[in-house]
Amino acid sequence: MTLMNDKVHAYKDQIGELSDVLPAVVKSYHEFTGECFQAGAIDAKTKQLIALGIGLFANNEVCTFYHVEEARAKGATDQEIMETVAVAGAVGGGHALSQGAMRVQKALH
């Protein structure tokens, strides 16, 4: 198994254990996220790519691995996945730059 698969499986195992303790919470979470990721005005592949970008921005390793896997399962190409990485990088860089321009410059004056 790869590191990616190991991490995703470990997460799923831990969610299973959490379900033993908080079954209604885990069930509700899975129903909610399952509904959110259904194809609608936005197709399921694009939703997975959006989630990947957010996972990268949030520095969430498990989400990153999971959503790469799910995006591929929904038909995303390596190019689409890497363009998602680039967009997440642009948003992350833009976030730091905009906050620096706004907050830091304000603090300096």
Side-chain angles (χ1 to χ4, degrees):
M1 252 187 207
T2 66
L3 174 65
M4 182 173 91
N5 288 334
D6 290 345
K7 298 267 182 174
V8 171
H9 287 295
Y11 165 75
K12 289 179 179 180
D13 289 344
Q14 293 301 309
I15 286 295
E17 288 184 28
L18 181 60
S19 184
D20 293 340
V21 178
L22 298 169
V25 170
V26 173
K27 181 178 183 273
S28 296
Y29 174 74
H30 282 157
E31 288 172 355
F32 172 71
T33 58
E35 185 63 30
C36 289
F37 281 94
Q38 291 297 313
I42 300 172
D43 64 87
K45 177 181 80 172
T46 301
K47 289 182 177 187
Q48 290 298 329
L49 293 170
I50 291 167
L52 171 59
I54 293 168
L56 289 166
F57 183 79
N59 196 30
N60 186 320
E61 182 179 47
V62 172
C63 277
T64 299
F65 290 152
Y66 178 81
H67 292 294
V68 164
E69 189 176 275
E70 288 296 309
R72 277 192 163 158
K74 302 287 188 269
T77 65
D78 289 354
Q79 183 67 30
E80 289 171 319
I81 291 168
M82 292 310 297
E83 286 184 20
T84 299
V85 170
V87 170
V91 170
H95 175 74
L97 187 61
S98 68
Q99 294 308 304
M102 301 290 291
R103 288 188 201 167
V104 174
Q105 289 189 119
K106 186 174 185 177
L108 293 174
H109 293 90

XYZ file of all heavy atoms in Angstrom:
814
model
N 0.832 -1.199 0.000
C 0.000 0.000 0.000
C 0.867 1.250 0.000
O 1.924 1.278 0.580
C -0.867 0.006 1.251
C -2.292 -0.281 0.965
S -3.327 -0.074 2.389
C -4.542 -1.232 1.859
N 0.372 2.256 -0.616
C 1.118 3.505 -0.655
C 0.835 4.328 0.600
O -0.128 4.058 1.328
C 0.710 4.336 -1.889
O -0.651 4.736 -1.732
C 0.878 3.550 -3.173
N 1.657 5.325 0.802
C 1.440 6.248 1.921
C 0.048 6.864 1.837
O -0.657 6.963 2.844
C 2.504 7.346 1.906
C 2.325 8.473 2.925
C 2.457 7.936 4.342
C 3.316 9.583 2.675
N -0.355 7.251 0.633
C -1.671 7.856 0.449
C -2.761 6.891 0.899
O -3.645 7.264 1.678
C -1.874 8.228 -1.024
C -3.196 8.902 -1.315
S -3.305 9.512 -3.007
C -4.015 8.092 -3.812
N -2.710 5.669 0.443
C -3.718 4.681 0.831
C -3.683 4.398 2.323
O -4.732 4.253 2.953
C -3.535 3.377 0.054
C -3.941 3.514 -1.390
O -4.761 4.350 -1.739
N -3.364 2.693 -2.243
N -2.476 4.318 2.884
C -2.347 4.074 4.321
C -3.031 5.173 5.131
O -3.746 4.894 6.088
C -0.875 3.991 4.733
C -0.173 2.745 4.221
O -0.869 1.802 3.781
O 1.070 2.728 4.260
N -2.807 6.416 4.747
C -3.394 7.547 5.472
C -4.917 7.560 5.343
O -5.629 7.789 6.320
C -2.825 8.872 4.971
C -1.343 9.036 5.164
C -1.035 9.729 6.437
C 0.473 9.921 6.550
N 0.810 10.700 7.698
N -5.417 7.335 4.135
C -6.865 7.337 3.922
C -7.509 6.186 4.693
O -8.540 6.375 5.345
C -7.206 7.288 2.411
C -8.691 7.061 2.193
C -6.756 8.583 1.728
N -6.890 5.009 4.650
C -7.449 3.867 5.387
C -7.401 4.101 6.896
O -8.334 3.726 7.614
C -6.738 2.572 5.006
C -7.111 2.085 3.645
N -8.377 1.661 3.310
C -6.375 1.970 2.511
C -8.411 1.311 2.048
N -7.213 1.500 1.527
N -6.326 4.715 7.382
C -6.235 5.022 8.816
C -7.355 5.979 9.222
O -7.978 5.805 10.273
C -4.871 5.621 9.144
N -7.620 6.969 8.389
C -8.719 7.901 8.664
C -10.048 7.149 8.719
O -10.838 7.332 9.647
C -8.772 8.998 7.584
C -10.067 9.762 7.581
C -10.343 10.701 8.565
C -11.036 9.524 6.611
C -11.552 11.395 8.574
C -12.238 10.209 6.608
C -12.491 11.139 7.598
O -13.689 11.811 7.601
N -10.293 6.309 7.741
C -11.543 5.557 7.708
C -11.671 4.649 8.934
O -12.767 4.511 9.492
C -11.654 4.769 6.407
C -11.900 5.673 5.201
C -11.983 4.889 3.905
C -12.242 5.824 2.739
N -12.331 5.094 1.462
N -10.562 4.042 9.352
C -10.594 3.223 10.566
C -10.949 4.065 11.783
O -11.760 3.654 12.622
C -9.235 2.550 10.804
C -8.933 1.450 9.796
O -9.871 0.982 9.095
O -7.745 1.067 9.692
N -10.355 5.242 11.883
C -10.611 6.110 13.030
C -12.046 6.638 13.023
O -12.673 6.768 14.073
C -9.617 7.266 13.074
C -8.196 6.820 13.360
C -8.065 6.089 14.679
O -8.510 6.576 15.718
N -7.476 4.909 14.652
N -12.573 6.932 11.853
C -13.981 7.345 11.757
C -14.880 6.200 12.210
O -15.895 6.420 12.879
C -14.332 7.805 10.326
C -13.732 9.176 10.047
C -15.828 7.826 10.084
C -14.297 10.309 10.896
N -14.491 4.981 11.864
C -15.248 3.812 12.322
C -15.272 3.722 13.837
O -16.313 3.439 14.441
N -14.138 3.976 14.460
C -14.072 3.967 15.922
C -14.893 5.113 16.515
O -15.572 4.940 17.521
C -12.624 4.039 16.397
C -11.866 2.750 16.169
C -10.462 2.777 16.726
O -10.211 3.515 17.713
O -9.605 2.062 16.173
N -14.824 6.290 15.902
C -15.617 7.418 16.373
C -17.103 7.105 16.257
O -17.893 7.484 17.121
C -15.281 8.688 15.577
C -16.021 9.954 15.984
C -15.729 10.320 17.436
C -15.651 11.102 15.058
N -17.462 6.371 15.224
C -18.862 5.981 15.035
C -19.358 5.091 16.168
O -20.540 5.119 16.511
C -19.026 5.266 13.695
O -20.381 4.963 13.468
N -18.451 4.322 16.755
C -18.829 3.496 17.905
C -19.205 4.362 19.102
O -20.058 3.993 19.900
C -17.676 2.559 18.301
C -17.387 1.509 17.248
O -18.271 1.234 16.399
O -16.270 0.961 17.262
N -18.564 5.523 19.209
C -18.784 6.429 20.334
C -19.907 7.429 20.040
O -20.745 7.709 20.896
C -17.481 7.192 20.683
C -17.691 8.165 21.820
C -16.360 6.209 21.017
N -19.902 7.982 18.833
C -20.870 9.015 18.432
C -21.541 8.616 17.118
O -21.352 9.267 16.076
C -20.162 10.365 18.264
C -19.487 10.949 19.505
C -18.608 12.128 19.134
C -20.534 11.350 20.525
N -22.324 7.565 17.135
C -22.893 7.068 15.868
C -23.764 8.079 15.140
O -23.705 8.175 13.910
C -23.686 5.831 16.280
C -23.922 5.981 17.748
C -22.773 6.784 18.277
N -24.567 8.839 15.847
C -25.459 9.805 15.191
C -24.660 10.926 14.539
O -25.020 11.397 13.451
C -26.463 10.371 16.181
N -23.584 11.342 15.176
C -22.747 12.413 14.620
C -22.090 11.942 13.329
O -22.132 12.638 12.304
C -21.686 12.872 15.645
C -20.670 13.802 14.998
C -22.353 13.536 16.841
N -21.482 10.778 13.357
C -20.794 10.261 12.172
C -21.792 9.995 11.049
O -21.545 10.354 9.891
C -19.979 9.002 12.517
C -19.402 8.360 11.263
C -18.853 9.357 13.489
N -22.930 9.415 11.381
C -23.960 9.154 10.375
C -24.430 10.467 9.738
O -24.533 10.578 8.519
C -25.142 8.421 10.996
C -26.254 8.092 10.021
C -27.365 7.308 10.722
C -28.444 6.913 9.763
N -29.476 7.902 9.588
N -24.687 11.462 10.567
C -25.138 12.765 10.058
C -24.076 13.418 9.186
O -24.383 13.998 8.138
C -25.498 13.693 11.217
O -26.594 13.187 11.929
N -22.824 13.333 9.612
C -21.728 13.905 8.834
C -21.646 13.233 7.464
O -21.534 13.909 6.439
C -20.398 13.775 9.582
C -19.227 14.225 8.766
C -18.987 15.574 8.538
C -18.361 13.295 8.182
C -17.917 15.997 7.758
C -17.294 13.712 7.408
C -17.074 15.050 7.198
O -16.018 15.462 6.424
N -21.706 11.909 7.445
C -21.610 11.190 6.175
C -22.800 11.495 5.263
O -22.629 11.631 4.046
C -21.482 9.685 6.413
C -20.102 9.283 6.825
N -19.849 8.132 7.516
C -18.907 9.875 6.662
C -18.556 8.035 7.750
N -17.964 9.089 7.239
N -23.982 11.616 5.836
C -25.147 11.981 5.021
C -24.979 13.384 4.443
O -25.267 13.618 3.264
C -26.426 11.892 5.848
C -26.839 10.465 6.160
C -27.993 10.372 7.143
O -28.432 11.418 7.686
O -28.457 9.242 7.386
N -24.525 14.313 5.277
C -24.326 15.698 4.839
C -23.281 15.779 3.727
O -23.531 16.347 2.658
C -23.910 16.569 6.027
C -23.499 17.960 5.645
C -24.438 18.881 5.201
C -22.173 18.352 5.741
C -24.059 20.175 4.843
C -21.790 19.640 5.386
C -22.734 20.546 4.937
N -22.104 15.200 3.967
C -21.056 15.290 2.960
C -21.430 14.508 1.704
O -21.126 14.940 0.594
C -19.691 14.824 3.497
O -19.797 13.475 3.967
C -19.194 15.736 4.604
N -22.103 13.375 1.885
C -22.546 12.617 0.727
C -23.460 13.433 -0.155
O -23.343 13.425 -1.391
N -24.372 14.159 0.454
C -25.283 15.011 -0.301
C -24.525 16.158 -0.970
O -24.784 16.498 -2.131
C -26.379 15.562 0.616
C -27.430 16.367 -0.092
C -28.236 15.573 -1.114
O -28.423 14.358 -0.933
O -28.674 16.187 -2.110
N -23.583 16.752 -0.260
C -22.813 17.875 -0.812
C -22.016 17.479 -2.048
O -21.833 18.292 -2.956
C -21.854 18.434 0.244
S -22.669 19.313 1.575
N -21.543 16.237 -2.091
C -20.699 15.797 -3.194
C -21.476 15.171 -4.350
O -20.882 14.769 -5.340
C -19.592 14.855 -2.695
C -18.459 15.596 -2.060
C -18.422 15.793 -0.691
C -17.436 16.121 -2.828
C -17.386 16.489 -0.095
C -16.395 16.824 -2.254
C -16.365 17.007 -0.885
N -22.794 15.126 -4.260
C -23.603 14.639 -5.373
C -23.548 15.640 -6.519
O -23.491 16.846 -6.300
C -25.063 14.447 -4.931
C -25.276 13.321 -3.956
C -24.917 11.977 -4.547
O -25.300 11.639 -5.654
N -24.149 11.217 -3.787
N -23.594 15.119 -7.718
C -23.635 15.999 -8.887
C -24.914 16.827 -8.850
O -25.970 16.340 -8.474
C -23.594 15.174 -10.167
N -24.780 18.077 -9.170
C -25.910 18.999 -9.248
C -25.565 20.009 -10.327
O -25.141 19.627 -11.422
N -25.689 21.281 -10.021
C -25.262 22.311 -10.960
C -23.754 22.201 -11.210
O -23.257 22.564 -12.268
C -25.624 23.690 -10.430
N -23.037 21.684 -10.215
C -21.598 21.405 -10.342
C -21.444 19.893 -10.380
O -21.984 19.185 -9.518
C -20.802 21.999 -9.159
C -20.984 23.514 -9.099
C -19.327 21.625 -9.259
C -20.384 24.157 -7.855
N -20.703 19.383 -11.354
C -20.537 17.940 -11.467
C -19.653 17.397 -10.333
O -18.911 18.144 -9.686
C -19.966 17.563 -12.841
C -18.569 18.108 -13.053
O -17.597 17.433 -12.663
O -18.451 19.229 -13.593
N -19.761 16.096 -10.091
C -19.073 15.454 -8.967
C -17.559 15.572 -9.064
O -16.875 15.748 -8.048
C -19.495 13.985 -8.862
N -17.004 15.489 -10.267
C -15.549 15.615 -10.438
C -15.084 17.000 -10.007
O -14.102 17.133 -9.261
C -15.152 15.351 -11.884
C -13.662 15.546 -12.152
C -13.303 15.304 -13.600
C -13.637 16.503 -14.453
N -13.140 16.389 -15.830
N -15.783 18.026 -10.450
C -15.399 19.397 -10.099
C -15.504 19.608 -8.593
O -14.643 20.272 -7.997
C -16.263 20.407 -10.864
O -16.089 20.177 -12.277
C -15.886 21.837 -10.534
N -16.513 19.040 -7.975
C -16.639 19.154 -6.515
C -15.443 18.524 -5.818
O -14.939 19.073 -4.826
C -17.952 18.537 -6.037
C -19.159 19.371 -6.424
C -20.440 18.768 -5.895
C -21.631 19.665 -6.231
N -22.870 19.198 -5.601
N -14.969 17.400 -6.336
C -13.785 16.771 -5.739
C -12.544 17.636 -5.939
O -11.698 17.739 -5.041
C -13.579 15.365 -6.311
C -14.612 14.371 -5.864
C -14.629 14.153 -4.362
O -13.611 14.257 -3.683
N -15.804 13.849 -3.834
N -12.424 18.268 -7.091
C -11.290 19.160 -7.328
C -11.351 20.384 -6.414
O -10.316 20.832 -5.896
C -11.234 19.568 -8.806
C -10.907 18.431 -9.779
C -11.112 18.891 -11.224
C -9.504 17.899 -9.557
N -12.541 20.913 -6.190
C -12.697 22.033 -5.251
C -12.254 21.591 -3.860
O -11.498 22.299 -3.180
C -14.155 22.536 -5.229
C -14.511 23.225 -6.543
C -14.398 23.472 -4.046
C -16.007 23.477 -6.742
N -12.711 20.419 -3.451
C -12.347 19.904 -2.122
C -10.839 19.690 -2.017
O -10.238 19.958 -0.971
C -13.102 18.609 -1.837
N -10.218 19.233 -3.083
C -8.766 19.071 -3.091
C -8.079 20.408 -2.869
O -7.157 20.518 -2.047
C -8.313 18.446 -4.413
C -6.805 18.420 -4.653
C -6.083 17.638 -3.563
C -6.508 17.858 -6.033
N -8.519 21.435 -3.584
C -7.916 22.762 -3.412
C -8.067 23.277 -1.992
O -7.126 23.829 -1.417
N -9.226 23.072 -1.412
C -9.447 23.501 -0.029
C -8.580 22.688 0.923
O -7.991 23.234 1.863
C -10.940 23.405 0.338
C -11.742 24.429 -0.463
C -11.150 23.603 1.840
C -13.255 24.227 -0.409
N -8.493 21.384 0.684
C -7.637 20.538 1.520
C -6.184 20.984 1.481
O -5.496 21.004 2.498
N -5.714 21.356 0.290
C -4.350 21.864 0.170
C -4.185 23.180 0.927
O -3.221 23.365 1.671
C -3.977 22.060 -1.302
C -3.764 20.785 -2.100
C -3.748 21.097 -3.588
C -2.473 20.103 -1.669
N -5.130 24.085 0.731
C -5.071 25.384 1.402
C -5.082 25.219 2.919
O -4.369 25.915 3.631
C -6.237 26.264 0.947
C -6.210 27.643 1.532
C -5.377 28.612 1.005
C -7.006 27.969 2.615
C -5.337 29.892 1.545
C -6.972 29.249 3.158
C -6.140 30.215 2.621
N -5.866 24.262 3.404
C -5.972 24.018 4.843
C -4.826 23.159 5.375
O -4.744 22.911 6.569
C -7.311 23.334 5.149
N -3.948 22.703 4.478
C -2.830 21.840 4.838
C -3.310 20.556 5.507
O -2.736 20.095 6.482
C -1.815 22.587 5.715
C -0.481 21.864 5.771
O -0.101 21.182 4.829
N 0.220 22.003 6.882
N -4.383 19.981 4.976
C -4.960 18.759 5.515
C -4.506 17.593 4.642
O -5.029 17.376 3.547
C -6.488 18.861 5.539
C -7.124 17.681 6.224
O -6.707 16.546 6.062
N -8.164 17.952 6.977
N -3.538 16.850 5.150
C -2.925 15.770 4.384
C -3.932 14.686 3.994
O -3.968 14.247 2.840
C -1.781 15.159 5.188
C -1.042 14.064 4.461
C 0.089 13.489 5.267
O -0.109 13.189 6.462
O 1.180 13.319 4.691
N -4.748 14.251 4.936
C -5.707 13.190 4.641
C -6.709 13.647 3.586
O -7.007 12.920 2.645
C -6.417 12.700 5.924
C -7.543 11.747 5.591
C -5.424 12.028 6.857
N -7.233 14.876 3.730
C -8.171 15.395 2.726
C -7.499 15.497 1.365
O -8.117 15.190 0.342
C -8.711 16.759 3.136
S -10.086 16.649 4.280
N -6.260 15.917 1.342
C -5.538 16.018 0.079
C -5.486 14.657 -0.600
O -5.865 14.505 -1.763
C -4.118 16.568 0.303
O -4.206 17.876 0.871
C -3.337 16.626 -0.999
N -5.027 13.640 0.127
C -4.937 12.294 -0.444
C -6.311 11.771 -0.845
O -6.494 11.226 -1.924
C -4.288 11.330 0.546
C -2.823 11.564 0.788
C -2.260 11.201 1.989
C -2.011 12.125 -0.175
C -0.906 11.378 2.223
C -0.657 12.327 0.046
C -0.100 11.948 1.245
N -7.287 11.935 0.037
C -8.622 11.414 -0.205
C -9.235 12.034 -1.459
O -9.790 11.333 -2.311
C -9.520 11.666 1.011
C -10.935 11.182 0.818
C -11.256 9.848 1.002
C -11.941 12.061 0.439
C -12.552 9.395 0.811
C -13.240 11.614 0.245
C -13.543 10.280 0.430
O -14.818 9.837 0.232
N -9.131 13.350 -1.592
C -9.778 14.017 -2.715
C -9.020 13.831 -4.027
O -9.644 13.886 -5.095
C -10.071 15.476 -2.390
C -11.113 15.604 -1.326
N -12.421 15.216 -1.523
C -11.039 16.020 -0.038
C -13.107 15.396 -0.419
N -12.288 15.883 0.508
N -7.720 13.568 -3.987
C -7.018 13.156 -5.209
C -7.600 11.826 -5.675
O -7.941 11.652 -6.847
C -5.494 13.028 -4.983
C -4.831 12.246 -6.117
C -4.844 14.390 -4.856
N -7.735 10.896 -4.745
C -8.287 9.579 -5.056
C -9.708 9.697 -5.608
O -10.054 9.080 -6.617
C -8.274 8.746 -3.766
C -8.594 7.300 -3.908
C -8.441 6.593 -2.567
O -7.313 6.188 -2.237
O -9.460 6.455 -1.862
N -10.530 10.499 -4.949
C -11.925 10.662 -5.383
C -12.025 11.404 -6.718
O -12.855 11.062 -7.556
C -12.735 11.395 -4.311
C -13.004 10.546 -3.091
C -13.867 9.332 -3.395
O -14.931 9.490 -4.012
O -13.461 8.219 -3.018
N -11.189 12.407 -6.920
C -11.199 13.138 -8.190
C -10.836 12.199 -9.334
O -11.479 12.216 -10.387
C -10.251 14.328 -8.132
N -9.823 11.365 -9.123
C -9.445 10.387 -10.152
C -10.593 9.423 -10.421
O -10.874 9.088 -11.568
C -8.214 9.613 -9.720
C -6.946 10.331 -9.998
C -5.785 9.406 -9.830
N -4.617 9.966 -10.481
C -3.399 9.635 -10.172
N -3.173 8.742 -9.224
N -2.392 10.174 -10.805
N -11.249 8.962 -9.345
C -12.363 8.034 -9.505
C -13.508 8.666 -10.303
O -14.275 7.957 -10.958
C -12.856 7.561 -8.134
N -13.614 9.989 -10.240
C -14.666 10.705 -10.957
C -14.209 11.137 -12.351
O -14.903 11.864 -13.038
C -15.120 11.940 -10.169
C -15.637 11.651 -8.780
C -17.008 10.998 -8.812
C -17.612 10.888 -7.436
N -17.321 9.653 -6.736
N -12.996 10.739 -12.738
C -12.523 11.008 -14.093
C -11.546 12.152 -14.259
O -11.212 12.516 -15.386
N -11.075 12.736 -13.161
C -10.119 13.843 -13.272
C -8.789 13.328 -13.817
O -8.313 12.262 -13.441
C -9.903 14.505 -11.917
N -8.225 14.103 -14.703
C -6.912 13.774 -15.252
C -5.820 14.321 -14.333
O -6.079 15.193 -13.480
C -6.738 14.404 -16.647
O -6.736 15.840 -16.504
C -7.843 13.960 -17.604
N -4.603 13.835 -14.536
C -3.474 14.378 -13.777
C -3.328 15.875 -14.033
O -3.026 16.641 -13.117
C -2.177 13.657 -14.145
C -2.120 12.227 -13.632
O -3.036 11.800 -12.887
O -1.146 11.519 -13.985
N -3.571 16.301 -15.261
C -3.476 17.729 -15.595
C -4.502 18.544 -14.811
O -4.174 19.602 -14.268
C -3.672 17.943 -17.109
C -3.509 19.384 -17.550
C -2.090 19.902 -17.407
O -1.125 19.139 -17.515
N -1.953 21.195 -17.169
N -5.737 18.050 -14.733
C -6.773 18.763 -13.976
C -6.409 18.829 -12.490
O -6.602 19.869 -11.840
C -8.126 18.074 -14.146
C -8.716 18.249 -15.526
C -9.939 17.402 -15.770
O -9.963 16.217 -15.355
O -10.889 17.922 -16.394
N -5.878 17.743 -11.980
C -5.472 17.721 -10.570
C -4.347 18.712 -10.315
O -4.384 19.485 -9.352
C -5.104 16.293 -10.144
C -6.381 15.433 -10.108
C -4.375 16.276 -8.807
C -6.151 13.949 -9.979
N -3.358 18.741 -11.205
C -2.242 19.662 -11.007
C -2.645 21.120 -11.223
O -2.125 22.007 -10.559
C -1.054 19.268 -11.906
C -0.413 17.945 -11.489
S -0.010 17.826 -9.712
C 1.200 19.143 -9.534
N -3.604 21.375 -12.108
C -4.117 22.739 -12.247
C -4.853 23.155 -10.979
O -4.792 24.328 -10.580
C -5.005 22.862 -13.479
C -4.214 22.861 -14.769
C -5.053 23.073 -16.008
O -6.184 23.592 -15.907
O -4.564 22.727 -17.108
N -5.509 22.217 -10.327
C -6.147 22.497 -9.039
C -5.085 22.872 -8.008
O -5.279 23.803 -7.221
C -6.959 21.270 -8.569
O -7.972 21.002 -9.544
C -7.577 21.500 -7.207
N -3.959 22.165 -8.029
C -2.845 22.499 -7.132
C -2.375 23.933 -7.402
O -2.154 24.711 -6.462
C -1.678 21.492 -7.307
C -0.427 21.958 -6.585
C -2.097 20.105 -6.839
N -2.258 24.289 -8.664
C -1.811 25.643 -9.007
C -2.800 26.698 -8.522
O -2.395 27.731 -7.969
C -1.612 25.757 -10.525
N -4.089 26.436 -8.687
C -5.105 27.391 -8.219
C -5.035 27.518 -6.704
O -5.101 28.637 -6.167
C -6.518 26.977 -8.693
C -7.591 27.812 -8.013
C -6.614 27.101 -10.208
N -4.886 26.396 -6.004
C -4.763 26.455 -4.541
C -3.526 27.263 -4.143
O -3.571 28.034 -3.181
C -4.700 25.044 -3.949
N -2.444 27.111 -4.897
C -1.239 27.899 -4.633
C -1.473 29.382 -4.855
O -1.014 30.226 -4.078
N -2.199 29.709 -5.904
C -2.510 31.115 -6.178
C -3.385 31.693 -5.077
O -3.154 32.822 -4.613
C -3.216 31.244 -7.532
N -4.376 30.926 -4.628
C -5.250 31.403 -3.549
C -4.453 31.555 -2.262
O -4.592 32.557 -1.552
C -6.454 30.445 -3.358
C -7.231 30.786 -2.101
C -7.359 30.497 -4.573
N -3.603 30.569 -1.963
C -2.786 30.645 -0.746
C -1.833 31.825 -0.770
O -1.705 32.560 0.212
N -1.189 32.032 -1.911
C -0.292 33.177 -2.040
C -1.054 34.487 -2.001
O -0.626 35.455 -1.362
N -2.194 34.508 -2.664
C -3.033 35.700 -2.651
C -3.542 36.016 -1.263
O -3.653 37.183 -0.871
N -3.849 34.963 -0.501
C -4.311 35.155 0.874
C -3.232 35.848 1.709
O -3.502 36.847 2.381
C -4.679 33.803 1.487
C -5.053 33.874 2.922
N -6.251 34.393 3.344
C -4.375 33.500 4.040
C -6.304 34.335 4.665
N -5.187 33.796 5.101
N -2.020 35.325 1.639
C -0.925 35.933 2.407
C -0.640 37.358 1.937
O -0.456 38.267 2.751
C 0.335 35.070 2.290
N -0.627 37.561 0.638
C -0.337 38.889 0.104
C -1.438 39.883 0.459
O -1.149 41.015 0.890
C -0.158 38.822 -1.414
C 0.318 40.120 -2.065
C 1.680 40.533 -1.524
C 0.374 39.935 -3.571
N -2.695 39.482 0.340
C -3.783 40.412 0.645
C -3.797 40.756 2.130
O -4.034 41.912 2.502
C -5.137 39.841 0.215
O -5.497 38.718 0.999
N -3.524 39.782 2.973
C -3.494 40.066 4.404
C -2.301 40.942 4.765
O -2.399 41.824 5.624
C -3.486 38.759 5.212
C -4.768 37.970 5.072
C -6.000 38.797 5.353
O -6.156 39.386 6.400
N -6.890 38.876 4.369
N -1.186 40.701 4.094
C -0.023 41.563 4.315
C -0.295 42.992 3.868
O 0.041 43.956 4.567
N -0.919 43.113 2.714
C -1.228 44.452 2.207
C -2.211 45.170 3.109
O -2.090 46.387 3.332
C -1.791 44.362 0.785
N -3.171 44.456 3.640
C -4.204 45.076 4.474
C -3.763 45.195 5.924
O -3.632 46.292 6.460
C -5.498 44.271 4.393
C -6.064 44.141 2.993
S -6.735 45.670 2.341
C -8.159 45.874 3.364
N -3.553 44.098 6.587
C -3.292 44.110 8.040
C -1.911 44.649 8.384
O -1.780 45.477 9.285
C -3.390 42.686 8.600
C -4.780 42.159 8.652
C -4.762 40.847 9.394
N -5.930 40.070 9.072
C -6.054 38.790 9.375
N -5.088 38.156 9.971
N -7.160 38.149 9.064
N -0.883 44.127 7.717
C 0.482 44.504 8.090
C 0.706 45.986 7.795
O 1.232 46.717 8.629
C 1.520 43.599 7.402
C 2.938 44.095 7.681
C 1.362 42.147 7.857
N 0.315 46.444 6.615
C 0.504 47.854 6.305
C -0.281 48.747 7.259
O 0.199 49.798 7.669
C 0.129 48.145 4.850
C 1.135 47.568 3.869
C 0.918 48.011 2.462
O 1.800 48.636 1.898
N -0.239 47.697 1.884
N -1.473 48.291 7.647
C -2.261 49.048 8.614
C -1.536 49.113 9.962
O -1.485 50.159 10.607
C -3.649 48.429 8.770
C -4.578 49.235 9.634
C -5.969 48.645 9.635
C -6.905 49.541 10.416
N -8.287 49.042 10.375
N -0.967 47.987 10.356
C -0.239 47.942 11.624
C 1.004 48.829 11.605
O 1.409 49.388 12.623
C 0.158 46.504 11.957
N 1.598 48.974 10.448
C 2.812 49.800 10.329
C 2.517 51.292 10.355
O 3.394 52.088 10.666
C 3.559 49.453 9.038
C 4.165 48.060 8.980
C 4.749 47.797 7.593
C 5.223 47.865 10.061
N 1.296 51.649 10.044
C 0.964 53.080 9.981
C 0.304 53.503 11.243
O -0.420 53.511 11.907
C 0.090 53.396 8.753
C 0.860 53.194 7.500
N 0.900 51.983 6.827
C 1.665 54.014 6.786
C 1.666 52.082 5.768
N 2.150 53.314 5.710
